[in-house]
Amino acid sequence: MRSKDEVSSKRVAYLAWDRTTRWFHWINLLCVLALVVLGLAILNEKSFGVSADGKILLKTLHVYVGYVFTINLTWRLTWAFVGSSRARWLALLPIGRGYTEALRQYVRGLWQGAPPGYLGHNPLGRLMVTALLLVLATQAVTGLVLAGTDLYKPPFGGIIAEWVTNGDPEKLANLTPGSKDAVDPVAYDEMRSFRKPFVTTHEYSFYTLIVLILVHVAAVVITEIREKNSLVSAMLSGEKTFTEAPIDELEPPDSG
Ligand code: HEM
């Protein structure tokens, strides 16, 4: 679906992002901001002098925001199968007939100072979106495992609790996050070894995400200044503006 209003004698507004995509974007931004701040506090808890209880509270808050983040991300990944054409995988991933040629043309255009205008993601933007979604999904999966190993919270907390107590009902009843009182020492050490790669991945994926976010924001600001197509406000209004019909409006993503 396309809305086309005259916004000036030269610029025409086109519907770029549907409502689901815009809601996803802003909920995701708020969640990621909160997760980064809480994550940094967890990472630096010693320097901040956080108490043992404070650490559990930080992790619990981080996990609750993490659930909202994961549900929102899952909904967006589902929307990529069932949503509007510009929200679908074919418009997001660096795939499909003609992608390599489109990328070449876009980079050449950038080099010459006049890249072709895209209503959806431009070919470079698709690479960025793919990288962002991959890293966000990695954070969601590893985070859910850590919620289980650190706090015995869903979806894996029940299995982890059974593991570290060897299923002993009395130990299970007394099991508390951050305390080793009710655990079987051998099982607990095994669980900690299992958890290690997830913590490492969660941490390095976090650093990667920070770099990607910086590049993403810089690319959006530069594109907005150079192409003046309301890229930033399009995430609120849904509409981008163009002086000439955008290249992917002539060839919608569904056509491959
Ligand atoms: C964009 C998403 C996320 C970011 C940027 C992020 C960032 C971080 C950072 C920087 C840390 C501290 C480093 C570490 O201890 O490994 C951390 C720890 C943790 N995160 Fe996340 N996180 C995200 C998503 C999630 C999700 C979705 C969950 C679960 C629902 C989660 C659960 C945890 C837990 C339990 C810890 C504590 C791990 C530990 O004890 O070291 N995170 N996160």
Side-chain angles (χ1 to χ4, degrees):
M1 282 229 290
R2 182 185 108 179
S3 104
K4 203 176 181 188
D5 310 314
E6 282 274 317
V7 289
S8 74
S9 56
K10 278 186 173 171
R11 290 205 159 260
V12 175
Y14 294 79
L15 185 66
W17 313 126
D18 60 32
R19 197 174 295 157
T20 299
T21 304
R22 285 179 270 149
W23 272 103
F24 159 76
H25 181 271
W26 295 115
I27 295 172
N28 186 59
L29 176 109
L30 290 178
C31 289
V32 170
L33 265 181
L35 289 165
V36 165
V37 170
L38 290 164
L40 280 173
I42 297 170
L43 210 52
N44 297 292
E45 35 106 10
K46 286 206 179 83
S47 337
F48 294 156
V50 178
S51 65
D53 284 348
K55 195 174 164 185
I56 298 294
L57 178 66
L58 280 175
K59 286 188 186 185
T60 306
L61 287 174
H62 185 85
V63 165
Y64 287 146
V65 179
Y67 287 149
V68 179
F69 160 82
T70 305
I71 291 168
N72 189 46
L73 181 64
T74 307
W75 170 229
R76 177 65 186 92
L77 298 183
T78 310
W79 192 242
F81 288 104
V82 297
S84 63
S85 62
R86 292 195 196 292
R88 292 201 183 203
W89 290 121
L90 215 45
L92 291 181
L93 302 180
I95 55 170
R97 193 156 46 83
Y99 173 76
T100 318
E101 182 50 32
L103 178 65
R104 212 172 286 139
Q105 272 181 20
Y106 189 79
V107 173
R108 202 178 306 132
L110 261 186
W111 192 250
Q112 293 162 352
Y118 275 85
L119 182 53
H121 298 290
N122 67 48
L124 273 182
R126 286 210 231 171
L127 288 175
M128 172 51 76
V129 169
T130 305
L132 276 169
L133 288 177
L134 265 176
V135 172
L136 292 176
T138 304
Q139 286 305 82
V141 172
T142 52
L144 290 178
V145 173
L146 294 179
T149 58
D150 284 43
L151 303 172
Y152 309 115
K153 290 219 175 289
F156 306 112
I159 305 170
I160 305 286
E162 289 267 340
W163 183 3
V164 297
T165 56
N166 280 333
D168 180 332
E170 201 179 316
K171 286 184 175 167
L172 261 176
N174 293 315
L175 189 65
T176 0
S179 160
K180 288 188 199 167
D181 290 349
V183 301
D184 174 85
V186 177
Y188 187 77
D189 283 349
E190 277 170 13
M191 184 277 277
R192 299 294 287 185
S193 307
F194 161 81
R195 168 191 178 275
K196 231 178 196 162
F198 290 95
V199 186
T200 311
T201 309
H202 202 69
E203 192 177 331
Y204 283 95
S205 178
F206 160 71
Y207 297 133
T208 312
L209 181 62
I210 297 293
V211 174
L212 290 179
I213 290 173
L214 293 176
V215 177
H216 171 64
V217 171
V220 166
V221 170
I222 291 169
T223 308
E224 168 87 54
I225 292 171
R226 287 172 67 136
E227 299 182 18
K228 301 183 179 59
N229 59 1
S230 319
L231 185 56
V232 177
S233 58
M235 255 315 154
L236 287 168
S237 69
E239 291 182 340
K240 285 190 195 173
T241 63
F242 295 87
T243 48
E244 285 172 22
I247 196 162
D248 51 344
E249 179 65 0
L250 304 172
E251 274 181 65
D254 322 51
S255 70

